[in-house]
Amino acid sequence: MNVVTAVVLTVLAHVGFGGVRVVLSLAAIDQAATPLAVGSLLSLFSLGPMFLSVAGGRWIDRIGVRRPLFIGVGLMVAGSAIGWLPLGLPVLFVTSALVGSGFLLTQLVTQKLVGDAGHDHEARRRNFGLLAIGYSISGVVGPTAAGLLYDHLGPHDTFLAFTAMPLVILFSLLRHRDELPGPAPGIPVRRRFFDLLAEPRLRRLYLATALTSTAWDLHQFVVPIYGRGIGLSASDIGFILGAFGLATLFVRLVLPLFLLRLPEWTAIVSAQVVAFGVFVAYPFFGRFEALVALSFVLGLGLGLGQPMVLSLLHLLTPAGRVGEAIGLRLMIINATQTVLPGSFGALGSVFGVGILFWAVAAALGLGLLAQAAAGYNRSS
């Protein structure tokens, strides 16, 4: 399977994942769920993946990508279809668990495929730039489509509509199943993911992963709650989140043209600084136009950092352990997605939604200080 095909499959999967995530938030809010309940619902997206990420990466290294990819896409189909059932919050929790676990497996596979297709660091950097553009396209389409469909079809039919993307992936996989690669060569006999953290540069990279994931995912969680609280429609909220995705697309299209020689660590830390400033500013604005602008600026910053993280990860990871290293990265991401929405939801229930933005800014500020104390590799 070539890079373009892998990126197209990623876009379709991410549209389905991002759309279902927004619909889950809106459906729960419209059922009078508290911020704590909404946070718990979104945490379930990541609870299974948090525990399965490293094991899933090792599994893919060992047996190849075909079976994990089919299982992952199948779970996404099942989860989206179950959301059509009109049985209230319990069904939403089942959908969250199935779609989140299915998307984990598809991410592990596609990120490994894209990285392995590059024969040197510059080729991998270009490939991950293309993958990042794909994520940006789906980041625009998924939330925007979710908001529009929700207003016109309601939650249940919108869930059913989002089964289309993983079904297209399944059809494509059946056509290309013979092109999917087998196990990775050179797998160590004994492997512990703590060994990966023995490398100082990988430790700093995983810390940066945790910070950018916190900013990225809590933005997706807090904006629907904040928007509903100030009277915005589902379409308005979808456009705000879509502006974030549009900005990531813009910066990733510009990146290969003007920023190809930008050091990876400079881009990663710059992304965190931009996110810190945006989260500090958010609670001071309540107009739709201002929120769209803030979301766009945040997307510019965070969109710059993600492909650099993936490029560095493949560069620094020992041979035969790429799937495992990707799994550890996704475990960290899913841990933040599991713990933080519920925790921040409880905080918002007590102190109001506005404080959540400043809590994210505080986490980013502390993380930046920690990275500054440790130092980062400016020459990478």
Side-chain angles (χ1 to χ4, degrees), residues 125 205 208 212 251 255 259-275 300-309 312 368 371 376-378 380:
R125 185 165 168 169
L205 189 61
T212 55
V251 75
L255 185 65
L259 304 174
L260 189 60
R261 299 301 174 185
L262 183 69
E264 279 94 342
W265 274 111
T266 300
I268 291 167
V269 174
S270 297
Q272 296 166 33
V273 172
V274 170
L300 290 176
L302 295 183
L304 182 63
Q306 187 192 47
M308 302 299 192
V309 169
L312 276 178
L368 284 166
Q371 288 180 90
Y376 63 87
N377 186 357
R378 296 176 182 273
S380 62

PDB file of all heavy atoms in Angstrom, residues 125 205 208 212 251 255 259-275 300-309 312 368 371 376-378 380:
ATOM      1  N   ARG A 125       9.967  12.744   6.713  1.00  0.00           N
ATOM      2  CA  ARG A 125       9.424  14.052   7.073  1.00  0.00           C
ATOM      3  C   ARG A 125       8.399  14.506   6.039  1.00  0.00           C
ATOM      4  O   ARG A 125       7.340  15.033   6.385  1.00  0.00           O
ATOM      5  CB  ARG A 125      10.570  15.056   7.206  1.00  0.00           C
ATOM      6  CG  ARG A 125      10.144  16.429   7.691  1.00  0.00           C
ATOM      7  CD  ARG A 125      11.345  17.220   8.144  1.00  0.00           C
ATOM      8  NE  ARG A 125      11.004  18.624   8.349  1.00  0.00           N
ATOM      9  CZ  ARG A 125      11.790  19.496   8.945  1.00  0.00           C
ATOM     10  NH1 ARG A 125      12.960  19.123   9.416  1.00  0.00           N
ATOM     11  NH2 ARG A 125      11.421  20.751   9.085  1.00  0.00           N
ATOM     12  N   LEU A 205      10.545  14.094  23.910  1.00  0.00           N
ATOM     13  CA  LEU A 205       9.551  14.033  22.846  1.00  0.00           C
ATOM     14  C   LEU A 205       8.200  13.557  23.388  1.00  0.00           C
ATOM     15  O   LEU A 205       7.147  14.089  23.016  1.00  0.00           O
ATOM     16  CB  LEU A 205      10.031  13.098  21.741  1.00  0.00           C
ATOM     17  CG  LEU A 205       9.210  13.069  20.448  1.00  0.00           C
ATOM     18  CD1 LEU A 205       9.182  14.444  19.794  1.00  0.00           C
ATOM     19  CD2 LEU A 205       9.778  12.034  19.481  1.00  0.00           C
ATOM     20  N   ALA A 208       6.559  16.381  25.236  1.00  0.00           N
ATOM     21  CA  ALA A 208       5.947  17.309  24.278  1.00  0.00           C
ATOM     22  C   ALA A 208       4.658  16.728  23.715  1.00  0.00           C
ATOM     23  O   ALA A 208       3.672  17.445  23.503  1.00  0.00           O
ATOM     24  CB  ALA A 208       6.932  17.610  23.145  1.00  0.00           C
ATOM     25  N   THR A 212       1.018  18.756  23.830  1.00  0.00           N
ATOM     26  CA  THR A 212       0.254  19.113  22.635  1.00  0.00           C
ATOM     27  C   THR A 212      -1.065  18.350  22.573  1.00  0.00           C
ATOM     28  O   THR A 212      -2.086  18.883  22.128  1.00  0.00           O
ATOM     29  CB  THR A 212       1.075  18.867  21.360  1.00  0.00           C
ATOM     30  OG1 THR A 212       1.536  17.515  21.336  1.00  0.00           O
ATOM     31  CG2 THR A 212       2.271  19.790  21.303  1.00  0.00           C
ATOM     32  N   VAL A 251      -1.360  25.610   7.640  1.00  0.00           N
ATOM     33  CA  VAL A 251       0.039  25.646   8.057  1.00  0.00           C
ATOM     34  C   VAL A 251       0.807  24.445   7.507  1.00  0.00           C
ATOM     35  O   VAL A 251       2.003  24.541   7.206  1.00  0.00           O
ATOM     36  CB  VAL A 251       0.147  25.738   9.593  1.00  0.00           C
ATOM     37  CG1 VAL A 251      -0.154  24.415  10.272  1.00  0.00           C
ATOM     38  CG2 VAL A 251       1.536  26.235  10.003  1.00  0.00           C
ATOM     39  N   LEU A 255       4.034  24.555   5.238  1.00  0.00           N
ATOM     40  CA  LEU A 255       5.240  23.973   5.825  1.00  0.00           C
ATOM     41  C   LEU A 255       6.240  23.454   4.796  1.00  0.00           C
ATOM     42  O   LEU A 255       7.429  23.797   4.860  1.00  0.00           O
ATOM     43  CB  LEU A 255       4.831  22.859   6.799  1.00  0.00           C
ATOM     44  CG  LEU A 255       5.947  22.208   7.618  1.00  0.00           C
ATOM     45  CD1 LEU A 255       6.571  23.228   8.563  1.00  0.00           C
ATOM     46  CD2 LEU A 255       5.410  21.018   8.405  1.00  0.00           C
ATOM     47  N   LEU A 259       8.960  26.170   5.368  1.00  0.00           N
ATOM     48  CA  LEU A 259       9.475  25.795   6.681  1.00  0.00           C
ATOM     49  C   LEU A 259      10.158  24.435   6.674  1.00  0.00           C
ATOM     50  O   LEU A 259      10.314  23.810   7.723  1.00  0.00           O
ATOM     51  CB  LEU A 259       8.319  25.790   7.708  1.00  0.00           C
ATOM     52  CG  LEU A 259       7.534  27.099   7.829  1.00  0.00           C
ATOM     53  CD1 LEU A 259       6.348  26.900   8.762  1.00  0.00           C
ATOM     54  CD2 LEU A 259       8.423  28.229   8.331  1.00  0.00           C
ATOM     55  N   LEU A 260      10.567  23.971   5.495  1.00  0.00           N
ATOM     56  CA  LEU A 260      11.125  22.633   5.400  1.00  0.00           C
ATOM     57  C   LEU A 260      12.376  22.474   6.258  1.00  0.00           C
ATOM     58  O   LEU A 260      12.640  21.409   6.805  1.00  0.00           O
ATOM     59  CB  LEU A 260      11.449  22.312   3.933  1.00  0.00           C
ATOM     60  CG  LEU A 260      11.849  20.871   3.621  1.00  0.00           C
ATOM     61  CD1 LEU A 260      10.738  19.912   4.009  1.00  0.00           C
ATOM     62  CD2 LEU A 260      12.219  20.708   2.164  1.00  0.00           C
ATOM     63  N   ARG A 261      13.177  23.544   6.395  1.00  0.00           N
ATOM     64  CA  ARG A 261      14.413  23.466   7.172  1.00  0.00           C
ATOM     65  C   ARG A 261      14.224  23.904   8.624  1.00  0.00           C
ATOM     66  O   ARG A 261      15.192  24.018   9.359  1.00  0.00           O
ATOM     67  CB  ARG A 261      15.491  24.338   6.506  1.00  0.00           C
ATOM     68  CG  ARG A 261      15.832  23.901   5.085  1.00  0.00           C
ATOM     69  CD  ARG A 261      16.331  22.472   5.058  1.00  0.00           C
ATOM     70  NE  ARG A 261      16.533  21.989   3.697  1.00  0.00           N
ATOM     71  CZ  ARG A 261      16.877  20.735   3.396  1.00  0.00           C
ATOM     72  NH1 ARG A 261      17.032  19.859   4.371  1.00  0.00           N
ATOM     73  NH2 ARG A 261      17.023  20.370   2.139  1.00  0.00           N
ATOM     74  N   LEU A 262      13.007  24.158   9.032  1.00  0.00           N
ATOM     75  CA  LEU A 262      12.754  24.545  10.420  1.00  0.00           C
ATOM     76  C   LEU A 262      13.073  23.373  11.333  1.00  0.00           C
ATOM     77  O   LEU A 262      12.568  22.266  11.139  1.00  0.00           O
ATOM     78  CB  LEU A 262      11.285  24.942  10.583  1.00  0.00           C
ATOM     79  CG  LEU A 262      10.868  25.434  11.970  1.00  0.00           C
ATOM     80  CD1 LEU A 262      11.494  26.793  12.262  1.00  0.00           C
ATOM     81  CD2 LEU A 262       9.351  25.528  12.057  1.00  0.00           C
ATOM     82  N   PRO A 263      13.942  23.559  12.343  1.00  0.00           N
ATOM     83  CA  PRO A 263      14.263  22.455  13.256  1.00  0.00           C
ATOM     84  C   PRO A 263      13.016  21.927  13.951  1.00  0.00           C
ATOM     85  O   PRO A 263      12.136  22.699  14.353  1.00  0.00           O
ATOM     86  CB  PRO A 263      15.235  23.100  14.251  1.00  0.00           C
ATOM     87  CG  PRO A 263      15.825  24.266  13.528  1.00  0.00           C
ATOM     88  CD  PRO A 263      14.721  24.773  12.645  1.00  0.00           C
ATOM     89  N   GLU A 264      12.946  20.610  14.101  1.00  0.00           N
ATOM     90  CA  GLU A 264      11.752  20.003  14.667  1.00  0.00           C
ATOM     91  C   GLU A 264      11.431  20.545  16.054  1.00  0.00           C
ATOM     92  O   GLU A 264      10.277  20.865  16.358  1.00  0.00           O
ATOM     93  CB  GLU A 264      11.911  18.477  14.736  1.00  0.00           C
ATOM     94  CG  GLU A 264      11.637  17.752  13.435  1.00  0.00           C
ATOM     95  CD  GLU A 264      12.902  17.512  12.628  1.00  0.00           C
ATOM     96  OE1 GLU A 264      13.918  18.190  12.895  1.00  0.00           O
ATOM     97  OE2 GLU A 264      12.874  16.638  11.730  1.00  0.00           O
ATOM     98  N   TRP A 265      12.437  20.651  16.910  1.00  0.00           N
ATOM     99  CA  TRP A 265      12.161  21.087  18.280  1.00  0.00           C
ATOM    100  C   TRP A 265      11.698  22.538  18.329  1.00  0.00           C
ATOM    101  O   TRP A 265      10.877  22.902  19.179  1.00  0.00           O
ATOM    102  CB  TRP A 265      13.372  20.881  19.184  1.00  0.00           C
ATOM    103  CG  TRP A 265      13.417  19.506  19.758  1.00  0.00           C
ATOM    104  CD1 TRP A 265      14.309  18.515  19.474  1.00  0.00           C
ATOM    105  CD2 TRP A 265      12.493  18.953  20.704  1.00  0.00           C
ATOM    106  NE1 TRP A 265      13.995  17.388  20.184  1.00  0.00           N
ATOM    107  CE2 TRP A 265      12.892  17.627  20.950  1.00  0.00           C
ATOM    108  CE3 TRP A 265      11.362  19.453  21.360  1.00  0.00           C
ATOM    109  CZ2 TRP A 265      12.205  16.792  21.836  1.00  0.00           C
ATOM    110  CZ3 TRP A 265      10.686  18.624  22.242  1.00  0.00           C
ATOM    111  CH2 TRP A 265      11.103  17.315  22.477  1.00  0.00           C
ATOM    112  N   THR A 266      12.194  23.364  17.442  1.00  0.00           N
ATOM    113  CA  THR A 266      11.722  24.752  17.388  1.00  0.00           C
ATOM    114  C   THR A 266      10.233  24.786  17.065  1.00  0.00           C
ATOM    115  O   THR A 266       9.459  25.530  17.686  1.00  0.00           O
ATOM    116  CB  THR A 266      12.511  25.540  16.332  1.00  0.00           C
ATOM    117  OG1 THR A 266      13.903  25.536  16.676  1.00  0.00           O
ATOM    118  CG2 THR A 266      12.018  26.985  16.249  1.00  0.00           C
ATOM    119  N   ALA A 267       9.799  23.979  16.105  1.00  0.00           N
ATOM    120  CA  ALA A 267       8.385  23.933  15.741  1.00  0.00           C
ATOM    121  C   ALA A 267       7.532  23.401  16.887  1.00  0.00           C
ATOM    122  O   ALA A 267       6.451  23.928  17.179  1.00  0.00           O
ATOM    123  CB  ALA A 267       8.204  23.051  14.506  1.00  0.00           C
ATOM    124  N   ILE A 268       8.009  22.367  17.575  1.00  0.00           N
ATOM    125  CA  ILE A 268       7.228  21.735  18.639  1.00  0.00           C
ATOM    126  C   ILE A 268       7.015  22.693  19.807  1.00  0.00           C
ATOM    127  O   ILE A 268       5.895  22.850  20.323  1.00  0.00           O
ATOM    128  CB  ILE A 268       7.923  20.437  19.096  1.00  0.00           C
ATOM    129  CG1 ILE A 268       7.853  19.383  17.977  1.00  0.00           C
ATOM    130  CG2 ILE A 268       7.284  19.901  20.380  1.00  0.00           C
ATOM    131  CD1 ILE A 268       8.760  18.186  18.200  1.00  0.00           C
ATOM    132  N   VAL A 269       8.084  23.358  20.247  1.00  0.00           N
ATOM    133  CA  VAL A 269       7.964  24.277  21.381  1.00  0.00           C
ATOM    134  C   VAL A 269       7.159  25.520  20.990  1.00  0.00           C
ATOM    135  O   VAL A 269       6.364  26.036  21.778  1.00  0.00           O
ATOM    136  CB  VAL A 269       9.359  24.657  21.923  1.00  0.00           C
ATOM    137  CG1 VAL A 269       9.247  25.714  23.005  1.00  0.00           C
ATOM    138  CG2 VAL A 269      10.056  23.418  22.480  1.00  0.00           C
ATOM    139  N   SER A 270       7.326  25.997  19.755  1.00  0.00           N
ATOM    140  CA  SER A 270       6.547  27.145  19.296  1.00  0.00           C
ATOM    141  C   SER A 270       5.055  26.833  19.330  1.00  0.00           C
ATOM    142  O   SER A 270       4.233  27.688  19.695  1.00  0.00           O
ATOM    143  CB  SER A 270       6.964  27.533  17.876  1.00  0.00           C
ATOM    144  OG  SER A 270       8.313  27.940  17.832  1.00  0.00           O
ATOM    145  N   ALA A 271       4.695  25.614  18.958  1.00  0.00           N
ATOM    146  CA  ALA A 271       3.287  25.207  18.986  1.00  0.00           C
ATOM    147  C   ALA A 271       2.720  25.309  20.400  1.00  0.00           C
ATOM    148  O   ALA A 271       1.590  25.778  20.614  1.00  0.00           O
ATOM    149  CB  ALA A 271       3.146  23.782  18.463  1.00  0.00           C
ATOM    150  N   GLN A 272       3.494  24.907  21.392  1.00  0.00           N
ATOM    151  CA  GLN A 272       3.027  24.948  22.780  1.00  0.00           C
ATOM    152  C   GLN A 272       2.897  26.388  23.282  1.00  0.00           C
ATOM    153  O   GLN A 272       1.968  26.699  24.042  1.00  0.00           O
ATOM    154  CB  GLN A 272       3.985  24.158  23.662  1.00  0.00           C
ATOM    155  CG  GLN A 272       4.029  22.674  23.313  1.00  0.00           C
ATOM    156  CD  GLN A 272       5.210  21.972  23.952  1.00  0.00           C
ATOM    157  OE1 GLN A 272       5.643  22.324  25.044  1.00  0.00           O
ATOM    158  NE2 GLN A 272       5.737  20.963  23.271  1.00  0.00           N
ATOM    159  N   VAL A 273       3.792  27.262  22.855  1.00  0.00           N
ATOM    160  CA  VAL A 273       3.708  28.669  23.263  1.00  0.00           C
ATOM    161  C   VAL A 273       2.442  29.315  22.701  1.00  0.00           C
ATOM    162  O   VAL A 273       1.730  30.047  23.401  1.00  0.00           O
ATOM    163  CB  VAL A 273       4.971  29.429  22.812  1.00  0.00           C
ATOM    164  CG1 VAL A 273       4.809  30.928  23.046  1.00  0.00           C
ATOM    165  CG2 VAL A 273       6.202  28.913  23.558  1.00  0.00           C
ATOM    166  N   VAL A 274       2.156  29.062  21.424  1.00  0.00           N
ATOM    167  CA  VAL A 274       0.941  29.600  20.816  1.00  0.00           C
ATOM    168  C   VAL A 274      -0.291  29.087  21.556  1.00  0.00           C
ATOM    169  O   VAL A 274      -1.228  29.845  21.863  1.00  0.00           O
ATOM    170  CB  VAL A 274       0.870  29.223  19.323  1.00  0.00           C
ATOM    171  CG1 VAL A 274      -0.498  29.566  18.738  1.00  0.00           C
ATOM    172  CG2 VAL A 274       1.967  29.945  18.545  1.00  0.00           C
ATOM    173  N   ALA A 275      -0.321  27.797  21.857  1.00  0.00           N
ATOM    174  CA  ALA A 275      -1.464  27.217  22.560  1.00  0.00           C
ATOM    175  C   ALA A 275      -1.651  27.855  23.930  1.00  0.00           C
ATOM    176  O   ALA A 275      -2.783  28.139  24.350  1.00  0.00           O
ATOM    177  CB  ALA A 275      -1.288  25.705  22.698  1.00  0.00           C
ATOM    178  N   LEU A 300      -3.157  26.902  13.885  1.00  0.00           N
ATOM    179  CA  LEU A 300      -1.876  27.230  13.249  1.00  0.00           C
ATOM    180  C   LEU A 300      -0.700  26.737  14.091  1.00  0.00           C
ATOM    181  O   LEU A 300       0.262  26.167  13.574  1.00  0.00           O
ATOM    182  CB  LEU A 300      -1.762  28.743  13.046  1.00  0.00           C
ATOM    183  CG  LEU A 300      -2.659  29.398  11.996  1.00  0.00           C
ATOM    184  CD1 LEU A 300      -2.470  30.907  12.002  1.00  0.00           C
ATOM    185  CD2 LEU A 300      -2.372  28.832  10.601  1.00  0.00           C
ATOM    186  N   GLY A 301      -0.802  26.968  15.410  1.00  0.00           N
ATOM    187  CA  GLY A 301       0.295  26.562  16.279  1.00  0.00           C
ATOM    188  C   GLY A 301       0.426  25.051  16.393  1.00  0.00           C
ATOM    189  O   GLY A 301       1.496  24.474  16.124  1.00  0.00           O
ATOM    190  N   LEU A 302      -0.659  24.397  16.776  1.00  0.00           N
ATOM    191  CA  LEU A 302      -0.584  22.959  17.000  1.00  0.00           C
ATOM    192  C   LEU A 302      -0.399  22.191  15.697  1.00  0.00           C
ATOM    193  O   LEU A 302       0.232  21.122  15.688  1.00  0.00           O
ATOM    194  CB  LEU A 302      -1.846  22.480  17.720  1.00  0.00           C
ATOM    195  CG  LEU A 302      -2.034  23.021  19.143  1.00  0.00           C
ATOM    196  CD1 LEU A 302      -3.292  22.424  19.781  1.00  0.00           C
ATOM    197  CD2 LEU A 302      -0.825  22.737  20.019  1.00  0.00           C
ATOM    198  N   GLY A 303      -0.922  22.722  14.602  1.00  0.00           N
ATOM    199  CA  GLY A 303      -0.739  22.060  13.317  1.00  0.00           C
ATOM    200  C   GLY A 303       0.707  22.013  12.871  1.00  0.00           C
ATOM    201  O   GLY A 303       1.111  21.117  12.122  1.00  0.00           O
ATOM    202  N   LEU A 304       1.496  22.964  13.339  1.00  0.00           N
ATOM    203  CA  LEU A 304       2.920  22.995  12.995  1.00  0.00           C
ATOM    204  C   LEU A 304       3.695  21.901  13.708  1.00  0.00           C
ATOM    205  O   LEU A 304       4.663  21.354  13.173  1.00  0.00           O
ATOM    206  CB  LEU A 304       3.498  24.365  13.373  1.00  0.00           C
ATOM    207  CG  LEU A 304       4.961  24.637  13.070  1.00  0.00           C
ATOM    208  CD1 LEU A 304       5.225  24.600  11.582  1.00  0.00           C
ATOM    209  CD2 LEU A 304       5.361  25.996  13.645  1.00  0.00           C
ATOM    210  N   GLY A 305       3.262  21.535  14.912  1.00  0.00           N
ATOM    211  CA  GLY A 305       4.064  20.644  15.745  1.00  0.00           C
ATOM    212  C   GLY A 305       3.889  19.169  15.475  1.00  0.00           C
ATOM    213  O   GLY A 305       4.855  18.402  15.562  1.00  0.00           O
ATOM    214  N   GLN A 306       2.669  18.710  15.138  1.00  0.00           N
ATOM    215  CA  GLN A 306       2.406  17.272  15.093  1.00  0.00           C
ATOM    216  C   GLN A 306       3.266  16.501  14.094  1.00  0.00           C
ATOM    217  O   GLN A 306       3.847  15.467  14.458  1.00  0.00           O
ATOM    218  CB  GLN A 306       0.928  17.018  14.820  1.00  0.00           C
ATOM    219  CG  GLN A 306       0.563  15.543  14.931  1.00  0.00           C
ATOM    220  CD  GLN A 306      -0.819  15.253  14.375  1.00  0.00           C
ATOM    221  OE1 GLN A 306      -1.175  15.688  13.289  1.00  0.00           O
ATOM    222  NE2 GLN A 306      -1.614  14.513  15.132  1.00  0.00           N
ATOM    223  N   PRO A 307       3.397  16.934  12.822  1.00  0.00           N
ATOM    224  CA  PRO A 307       4.234  16.147  11.910  1.00  0.00           C
ATOM    225  C   PRO A 307       5.687  16.095  12.342  1.00  0.00           C
ATOM    226  O   PRO A 307       6.392  15.122  12.062  1.00  0.00           O
ATOM    227  CB  PRO A 307       4.075  16.877  10.566  1.00  0.00           C
ATOM    228  CG  PRO A 307       3.549  18.225  10.888  1.00  0.00           C
ATOM    229  CD  PRO A 307       2.743  18.059  12.132  1.00  0.00           C
ATOM    230  N   MET A 308       6.155  17.136  13.045  1.00  0.00           N
ATOM    231  CA  MET A 308       7.532  17.130  13.545  1.00  0.00           C
ATOM    232  C   MET A 308       7.726  16.059  14.615  1.00  0.00           C
ATOM    233  O   MET A 308       8.772  15.398  14.683  1.00  0.00           O
ATOM    234  CB  MET A 308       7.887  18.510  14.109  1.00  0.00           C
ATOM    235  CG  MET A 308       7.743  19.655  13.125  1.00  0.00           C
ATOM    236  SD  MET A 308       8.832  19.469  11.695  1.00  0.00           S
ATOM    237  CE  MET A 308       8.688  21.091  10.947  1.00  0.00           C
ATOM    238  N   VAL A 309       6.712  15.869  15.459  1.00  0.00           N
ATOM    239  CA  VAL A 309       6.785  14.833  16.489  1.00  0.00           C
ATOM    240  C   VAL A 309       6.903  13.455  15.848  1.00  0.00           C
ATOM    241  O   VAL A 309       7.743  12.631  16.234  1.00  0.00           O
ATOM    242  CB  VAL A 309       5.548  14.904  17.409  1.00  0.00           C
ATOM    243  CG1 VAL A 309       5.479  13.674  18.317  1.00  0.00           C
ATOM    244  CG2 VAL A 309       5.585  16.166  18.258  1.00  0.00           C
ATOM    245  N   LEU A 312      10.405  12.952  14.208  1.00  0.00           N
ATOM    246  CA  LEU A 312      11.437  12.686  15.207  1.00  0.00           C
ATOM    247  C   LEU A 312      11.291  11.302  15.822  1.00  0.00           C
ATOM    248  O   LEU A 312      12.276  10.625  16.120  1.00  0.00           O
ATOM    249  CB  LEU A 312      11.384  13.742  16.313  1.00  0.00           C
ATOM    250  CG  LEU A 312      12.114  15.061  16.078  1.00  0.00           C
ATOM    251  CD1 LEU A 312      11.913  15.995  17.273  1.00  0.00           C
ATOM    252  CD2 LEU A 312      13.609  14.820  15.858  1.00  0.00           C
ATOM    253  N   LEU A 368       6.083  23.699  29.623  1.00  0.00           N
ATOM    254  CA  LEU A 368       7.137  24.463  28.953  1.00  0.00           C
ATOM    255  C   LEU A 368       8.301  24.740  29.887  1.00  0.00           C
ATOM    256  O   LEU A 368       9.472  24.673  29.490  1.00  0.00           O
ATOM    257  CB  LEU A 368       6.555  25.773  28.413  1.00  0.00           C
ATOM    258  CG  LEU A 368       5.706  25.645  27.145  1.00  0.00           C
ATOM    259  CD1 LEU A 368       4.911  26.923  26.903  1.00  0.00           C
ATOM    260  CD2 LEU A 368       6.588  25.349  25.936  1.00  0.00           C
ATOM    261  N   GLN A 371      10.327  21.569  30.172  1.00  0.00           N
ATOM    262  CA  GLN A 371      11.173  21.346  29.003  1.00  0.00           C
ATOM    263  C   GLN A 371      12.357  22.294  28.986  1.00  0.00           C
ATOM    264  O   GLN A 371      13.473  21.925  28.603  1.00  0.00           O
ATOM    265  CB  GLN A 371      10.349  21.540  27.720  1.00  0.00           C
ATOM    266  CG  GLN A 371       9.354  20.422  27.468  1.00  0.00           C
ATOM    267  CD  GLN A 371       8.566  20.655  26.203  1.00  0.00           C
ATOM    268  OE1 GLN A 371       8.948  20.230  25.119  1.00  0.00           O
ATOM    269  NE2 GLN A 371       7.443  21.354  26.346  1.00  0.00           N
ATOM    270  N   TYR A 376      16.216  21.265  25.313  1.00  0.00           N
ATOM    271  CA  TYR A 376      15.748  20.499  24.168  1.00  0.00           C
ATOM    272  C   TYR A 376      16.748  20.627  23.039  1.00  0.00           C
ATOM    273  O   TYR A 376      17.565  21.538  22.975  1.00  0.00           O
ATOM    274  CB  TYR A 376      14.349  20.943  23.723  1.00  0.00           C
ATOM    275  CG  TYR A 376      14.232  22.364  23.228  1.00  0.00           C
ATOM    276  CD1 TYR A 376      14.472  22.683  21.896  1.00  0.00           C
ATOM    277  CD2 TYR A 376      13.866  23.380  24.093  1.00  0.00           C
ATOM    278  CE1 TYR A 376      14.351  23.962  21.432  1.00  0.00           C
ATOM    279  CE2 TYR A 376      13.747  24.693  23.633  1.00  0.00           C
ATOM    280  CZ  TYR A 376      13.986  24.963  22.313  1.00  0.00           C
ATOM    281  OH  TYR A 376      13.863  26.263  21.871  1.00  0.00           O
ATOM    282  N   ASN A 377      16.725  19.651  22.159  1.00  0.00           N
ATOM    283  CA  ASN A 377      17.714  19.506  21.097  1.00  0.00           C
ATOM    284  C   ASN A 377      17.430  20.499  19.976  1.00  0.00           C
ATOM    285  O   ASN A 377      16.617  20.237  19.110  1.00  0.00           O
ATOM    286  CB  ASN A 377      17.680  18.070  20.567  1.00  0.00           C
ATOM    287  CG  ASN A 377      18.784  17.813  19.567  1.00  0.00           C
ATOM    288  OD1 ASN A 377      19.549  18.715  19.226  1.00  0.00           O
ATOM    289  ND2 ASN A 377      18.860  16.595  19.099  1.00  0.00           N
ATOM    290  N   ARG A 378      18.085  21.625  19.967  1.00  0.00           N
ATOM    291  CA  ARG A 378      17.842  22.645  18.956  1.00  0.00           C
ATOM    292  C   ARG A 378      18.448  22.282  17.601  1.00  0.00           C
ATOM    293  O   ARG A 378      18.135  22.881  16.600  1.00  0.00           O
ATOM    294  CB  ARG A 378      18.411  23.994  19.410  1.00  0.00           C
ATOM    295  CG  ARG A 378      17.738  24.528  20.651  1.00  0.00           C
ATOM    296  CD  ARG A 378      18.406  25.817  21.113  1.00  0.00           C
ATOM    297  NE  ARG A 378      17.801  26.319  22.331  1.00  0.00           N
ATOM    298  CZ  ARG A 378      16.754  27.108  22.382  1.00  0.00           C
ATOM    299  NH1 ARG A 378      16.161  27.475  21.281  1.00  0.00           N
ATOM    300  NH2 ARG A 378      16.278  27.525  23.540  1.00  0.00           N
ATOM    301  N   SER A 380      18.174  19.340  16.084  1.00  0.00           N
ATOM    302  CA  SER A 380      17.498  18.275  15.364  1.00  0.00           C
ATOM    303  C   SER A 380      16.715  18.806  14.193  1.00  0.00           C
ATOM    304  O   SER A 380      16.371  18.099  13.309  1.00  0.00           O
ATOM    305  CB  SER A 380      16.556  17.506  16.281  1.00  0.00           C
ATOM    306  OG  SER A 380      15.556  18.341  16.782  1.00  0.00           O
TER     307      SER A 380
END
